[in-house]
Amino acid sequence: MSTGVQRASNEDKLELSEALSQMNETVLGMIRAQAPLPKVLEVLCEQIEKRHSDMLCSVLLLDADSTTLRSGAAPSLPKEYTEAINGVQIGPCVGSCGTAAYRKQPVIVSDIATDALWASCREKALSHGLRACWSTPIASQDGTILGTFAIYYREPRTPVAKHLQLIAHATHLAGIAIEQDRAKAELRAAEARYRTLVERLPAITYVAELGAGGPWHYVSPQIETMLGFSPAEWLSDPMNWMNHIHPDDREIALAAEKQFQETHELFQAEYRMCARDGRLMWFRDEGVLLEQTDGQGLLMQGVMHDITERKRLEDQLRHSQKMEAVGQLAGGVAHDFNNLLMLIQAHNEHLRDQLAVDDPANKDAQEIETAVTRAAALTGQLLAFSRKQVLRPKVLDLNVVLAEVAKMLHRLIGKDIELIVKPGRSLGRVKADPGQMEQMILNLAVNSRDAMPNGGRLTIETGDVELDKDDSRKHEGAPAGKYVMLAVSDTGSGMDTETQAHMFEPFFTTKAPGKGTGLGLATVYGVVKHSDGWIWVDSEPGRGTSFKIYLPRVEEARVDAAGVEECRVEERVEKSEQLQLAPFRTEQSQPPSKTSTSLSTAPKGTETVLVVEDQDGIRDIVRESLRRTGYKVLIAVDGNEALQMASAYPDPIHLLVTDLVMPNIGGRELAQRLTPLRPQMKVLFMSGYSEHSGLDSENEEMDPSATILQKPFSLDALARNVRRVLDEPGS
């Protein structure tokens, strides 16, 4: 008897071993072959059910929320039942599977009809003839519950040892399959995230073998939007990278490549590349070494960042800084030169007053005066470029200014050039010096005229524009906002890139020696910047040139038309023809003409005048000139001395004549501080140029009624303006 039992036991063990071996071979083979998880679980269930026809297998998967069971596989259970339990919430009394997942331990129910664990779902099972259910939780290697593996019977049953072993092994295989599938899903998700990141970066990502001609194994799709080549085109030729680097930058890239091969440290280089359509783009290329793959050369993975915009902004900043430095230098030179011209002019007038009318030396004196006038015109243009002119900004309709200038342009540009003027409708207003606006238009017109020696077409137009952020990047960084645009376009010879890089620099010119000063466009640049505007140039050789100037629109509706009329455009055109567009001077600061009055016939007076000037020569000339015309003159070398003198002087001081820019205390501040002490005293300013200390502080502008003598001025102009200011009604 014992021998028979032993034989049966051995047969059961052999049968179980074969079943487990067959199950391993089939299921693990499917896992290695990366078969879909539902198919693996279904085959696992079928492997058991074909050996034990009374068993009905089921796999439920636990959702990521760890509270809900979803159907994984149940090939032999009634479809209606699997649908009914799909989505069941785990809990302490939710049948065999819901309870096993909740308790994290096996649950054996021998009779569903009587077991309390099935109270809430008993009818679902009984209605489909299910009477017993043994459920085991499926756990991952770290103990996380992944789902349940269950065996159903159609009659009440208690566990059998070999069945429990089979269930335990099937549960283990199910765990391997589920973990493998989740790992693959996580890998796919990670790859999708990486691919999304790589393909949405504003950069080109690549994998390539080391060496200038090393083949590329991967390049991201951005290469098509940036450089115009499809990934397939780029990968087809290993030399594409080096061939499309700008020739001047290839040594930079090769040096970085060589260093990377030697050190295997971070690859870094900045260089230009030529796109398919001819555009030049700047890239910052950074790469790292990848682990070596058998049979392949060393690989690097890199990212090419588009830094074209950054380079453009850097160039713009450098250009702005250079122009600012040149402007400071030009302004300083012009200021000192104006003082020298002042001395030359004044001494020349003294000499001329001593000459008889028929003296041959009169011609020499007149030539000196003409040279001073021309030199003053040049320094005036330097002051316009460096933004150090005395300004009287007004709210202007640019169409009114353009209309006045246009009346005279035909004589300036010649009959062989067609002039087209297109004033914009309902144009917004700008706040600027009307004289500077006219000078700007004239300079641009002459620049266009000189670019069309054989004739052509000159178009000047105005209009309201509103720049958004994208427009701002296209127009040299002008802030987004509302502007009035002035466009001056010609059909002339145009400019190459090198010329455009220097066109606004003082004394830069492409004309023959003696044909131009190189200050026309420099003056335009200074005027535009002085008016808080922006200038944009579009030009190519043989295609003409277009200057577009953007001036901020202002809300003030009142337009000071008188300010436009005072500019005397015709006189400016005449001077422009003679002096290569010398800047216009206000009435009180015009250089002397050939009909200047001598001091013997200049207006005279007997009042007391306080002269404040830090330049010895000019101070002495002004003092001597005023004394010769009858005035009593007090002198001070700076503002501090003037304050002390005004406080101590017992008699009235009728007029203060002061330079605007002086050490310690500027002329404007001096006038403000003396006004309470001498309320009846009038003021006449002298200026070589204006700075914050003189005219234009950030919060306050110069009194429009103030009289300013722009150096160099004639002694006749000094006498006339002193008399005029003294004769004005009370302050």
Side-chain angles (χ1 to χ4, degrees):
M1 182 69 178
S2 61
T3 303
V5 173
Q6 183 68 35
R7 186 181 301 113
S9 175
N10 290 338
E11 290 176 355
D12 288 343
K13 289 180 180 179
L14 181 60
E15 180 184 358
L16 178 61
S17 177
E18 290 176 353
L20 297 180
S21 178
Q22 180 64 38
M23 193 184 303
N24 285 342
E25 182 179 352
T26 302
V27 174
L28 292 177
M30 294 182 70
I31 293 174
R32 284 193 295 270
Q34 299 187 2
L37 178 64
K39 186 63 177 177
V40 174
L41 297 178
E42 183 177 344
V43 169
L44 175 63
C45 292
E46 290 173 347
Q47 287 284 309
I48 297 175
E49 291 174 349
K50 73 179 181 180
R51 292 180 176 273
H52 303 279
S53 58
D54 54 344
M55 291 185 182
L56 306 174
C57 297
S58 167
V59 178
L60 296 177
L61 303 176
L62 191 62
D63 277 353
D65 62 7
S66 299
T67 62
T68 307
L69 290 171
R70 302 285 180 186
S71 178
S76 300
L77 282 176
K79 183 178 180 181
E80 294 80 2
Y81 177 73
T82 58
E83 291 176 352
I85 65 172
N86 188 40
V88 67
Q89 301 293 307
I90 68 174
C93 295
V94 187
S96 300
C97 295
T99 305
Y102 179 79
R103 293 179 180 177
K104 299 182 181 180
Q105 61 185 28
V107 172
I108 296 176
V109 173
S110 299
D111 191 352
I112 293 174
T114 60
D115 199 299
L117 294 180
W118 282 82
S120 62
C121 49
R122 180 177 290 117
E123 292 304 319
K124 294 178 183 177
L126 295 179
S127 64
H128 292 92
L130 304 175
R131 293 295 304 273
C133 181
W134 311 342
S135 184
T136 302
I138 303 171
S140 66
Q141 292 183 358
D142 63 4
T144 302
I145 301 301
L146 305 175
T148 60
F149 187 90
I151 298 293
Y152 287 86
Y153 293 94
R154 294 192 178 279
E155 69 277 346
R157 296 220 26 185
T158 55
V160 177
K162 65 179 182 179
H163 288 185
L164 292 177
Q165 285 182 273
L166 191 63
I167 293 170
H169 196 74
T171 301
H172 176 66
L173 290 177
I176 294 174
I178 296 170
E179 273 201 289
Q180 183 76 4
D181 183 74
R182 291 194 175 183
K184 287 192 297 182
E186 289 176 1
L187 179 60
R188 286 193 299 269
E191 289 175 345
R193 288 193 298 270
Y194 176 75
R195 186 180 301 108
T196 300
L197 174 65
V198 165
E199 295 181 359
R200 291 185 181 179
L201 275 174
I204 298 171
T205 306
Y206 64 89
V207 176
E209 292 184 25
L210 269 62
W216 287 40
H217 293 207
Y218 169 80
V219 65
S220 62
Q222 289 92 322
I223 196 165
E224 187 160 9
T225 57
M226 290 186 179
L227 293 175
F229 301 94
S230 70
E233 286 178 298
W234 191 264
L235 297 176
S236 65
D237 184 355
M239 292 304 296
N240 264 330
W241 177 63
M242 184 54 61
N243 288 342
H244 287 88
I245 294 178
H246 191 282
D248 293 346
D249 296 346
R250 286 174 186 167
E251 289 300 322
I252 297 173
L254 289 173
E257 180 85 17
K258 181 180 179 182
Q259 182 179 10
F260 182 66
Q261 291 188 39
E262 292 173 352
T263 65
H264 292 177
E265 295 177 354
L266 181 67
F267 173 88
Q268 285 183 311
E270 290 187 1
Y271 51 78
R272 290 165 293 176
M273 294 198 77
C274 302
R276 183 193 287 274
D277 59 6
R279 289 177 299 112
L280 277 180
M281 297 184 66
W282 273 99
F283 286 95
R284 184 181 76 252
D285 193 348
E286 296 180 334
V288 295
L289 194 68
L290 294 179
E291 292 185 7
Q292 187 172 1
T293 306
D294 292 342
Q296 292 183 332
L298 292 176
L299 295 178
M300 65 178 293
Q301 183 176 36
V303 179
M304 294 166 57
H305 302 273
D306 178 6
I307 58 171
T308 307
E309 178 67 8
R310 192 199 80 189
K311 286 290 187 180
R312 186 189 70 81
L313 293 175
E314 288 177 353
D315 289 343
Q316 183 179 328
L317 176 60
R318 281 193 294 270
H319 182 263
S320 175
Q321 290 171 334
K322 181 180 72 174
M323 296 298 279
E324 186 68 26
V326 172
Q328 291 290 338
L329 176 62
V333 169
H335 174 259
D336 293 340
F337 197 54
N338 274 343
N339 285 330
L340 294 174
L341 292 175
M342 179 79 197
L343 293 173
I344 296 171
Q345 181 164 287
H347 287 298
N348 187 58
E349 285 189 58
H350 282 161
L351 290 173
R352 189 180 57 186
D353 284 345
Q354 299 172 26
L355 298 174
V357 176
D358 56 351
D359 193 316
N362 268 318
K363 183 178 180 181
D364 294 329
Q366 187 59 55
E367 289 300 322
I368 293 173
E369 191 171 292
T370 301
V372 169
T373 300
R374 293 178 63 85
L378 293 177
T379 58
Q381 293 194 72
L382 283 175
L383 290 171
F385 167 74
S386 58
R387 290 172 276 165
K388 296 184 183 296
Q389 281 185 315
V390 178
L391 297 183
R392 297 184 184 277
K394 304 174 184 293
V395 177
L396 300 174
D397 182 342
L398 203 57
N399 280 344
V400 175
V401 179
L402 178 58
E404 292 295 321
V405 177
K407 295 175 184 177
M408 309 298 168
L409 280 181
H410 285 291
R411 188 176 69 195
L412 183 66
I413 64 176
K415 295 181 179 180
D416 56 346
I417 295 177
E418 178 188 5
L419 175 64
I420 301 173
V421 178
K422 298 180 180 179
R425 293 184 178 180
S426 303
L427 197 66
R429 305 306 187 232
V430 299
K431 190 169 186 179
D433 183 288
Q436 281 201 332
M437 292 296 101
E438 290 177 351
Q439 188 67 60
M440 177 177 69
I441 296 172
L442 289 170
N443 284 24
L444 290 172
V446 167
N447 187 73
S448 292
R449 178 199 67 186
D450 294 342
M452 297 183 288
N454 300 318
R457 184 172 62 255
L458 171 62
T459 304
I460 306 176
E461 54 187 315
T462 60
D464 286 337
V465 296
E466 188 165 353
L467 301 182
D468 56 24
K469 291 181 179 179
D470 290 337
D471 294 326
S472 175
R473 285 192 291 270
K474 297 175 185 175
H475 294 85
E476 301 303 321
K482 297 180 179 179
Y483 293 86
V484 172
M485 180 197 69
L486 169 71
V488 179
S489 306
D490 63 58
T491 58
S493 55
M495 295 181 287
D496 58 24
T497 303
E498 182 65 20
T499 301
Q500 292 183 52
H502 300 284
M503 61 185 169
F504 293 127
E505 295 176 7
F507 305 114
F508 174 80
T509 179
T510 57
K511 300 174 185 175
K515 298 296 184 181
T517 63
L519 288 173
L521 290 181
T523 302
V524 171
Y525 179 86
V527 168
V528 172
K529 292 303 180 182
H530 216 161
S531 304
D532 297 325
W534 298 82
I535 186 167
W536 180 74
V537 184
D538 181 22
S539 183
E540 288 183 13
R543 196 175 60 83
T545 300
S546 176
F547 288 90
K548 289 186 178 179
I549 293 163
Y550 298 88
L551 301 174
R553 254 188 277 173
V554 297
E555 300 300 325
E556 301 177 58
R558 184 181 64 83
V559 179
D560 195 335
V564 176
E565 293 171 2
E566 289 173 2
C567 294
R568 295 198 301 278
V569 180
E570 185 169 3
E571 179 181 346
R572 185 188 296 275
V573 172
E574 291 173 352
K575 289 186 178 183
S576 296
E577 292 173 327
Q578 297 171 7
L579 303 175
Q580 297 294 327
L581 293 179
F584 177 78
R585 296 177 180 278
T586 55
E587 179 181 355
Q588 62 268 29
S589 59
Q590 290 179 39
S593 66
K594 294 181 180 180
T595 59
S596 294
T597 308
S598 68
L599 284 177
S600 61
T601 59
K604 296 178 174 56
T606 59
E607 293 90 343
T608 299
V609 180
L610 172 58
V611 176
V612 188
E613 167 64 60
D614 61 315
Q615 296 291 321
D616 295 343
I618 295 176
R619 186 173 64 248
D620 293 342
I621 286 174
V622 171
R623 175 183 59 185
E624 181 62 25
S625 176
L626 292 177
R627 282 180 176 174
R628 290 174 62 186
T629 50
Y631 297 100
K632 183 176 182 179
V633 183
L634 307 174
I635 60 170
V637 299
D638 59 24
N640 287 328
E641 186 175 350
L643 286 171
Q644 295 172 6
M645 186 173 293
S647 299
Y649 190 70
D651 298 324
I653 297 177
H654 302 91
L655 177 66
L656 170 67
V657 179
T658 178
D659 194 13
L660 273 167
V661 181
M662 297 183 295
N664 301 321
I665 300 176
R668 181 182 178 186
E669 182 184 351
L670 174 62
Q672 292 173 341
R673 293 173 66 172
L674 283 180
T675 297
L677 297 175
R678 304 276 178 169
Q680 300 303 316
M681 183 182 68
K682 307 292 181 62
V683 180
L684 173 62
F685 292 107
M686 302 179 293
S687 176
Y689 63 80
S690 67
E691 284 184 336
H692 292 313
S693 59
L695 286 181
D696 49 353
S697 69
E698 293 182 0
N699 301 316
E700 204 171 355
E701 292 180 354
M702 192 70 179
D703 181 358
S705 64
T707 301
I708 304 169
L709 276 171
Q710 179 74 48
K711 297 176 183 177
F713 50 81
S714 68
L715 297 180
D716 172 50
L718 173 65
R720 286 188 292 103
N721 280 278
V722 165
R723 188 69 260 158
R724 182 171 63 83
V725 173
L726 285 169
D727 291 342
E728 287 176 349
S731 58

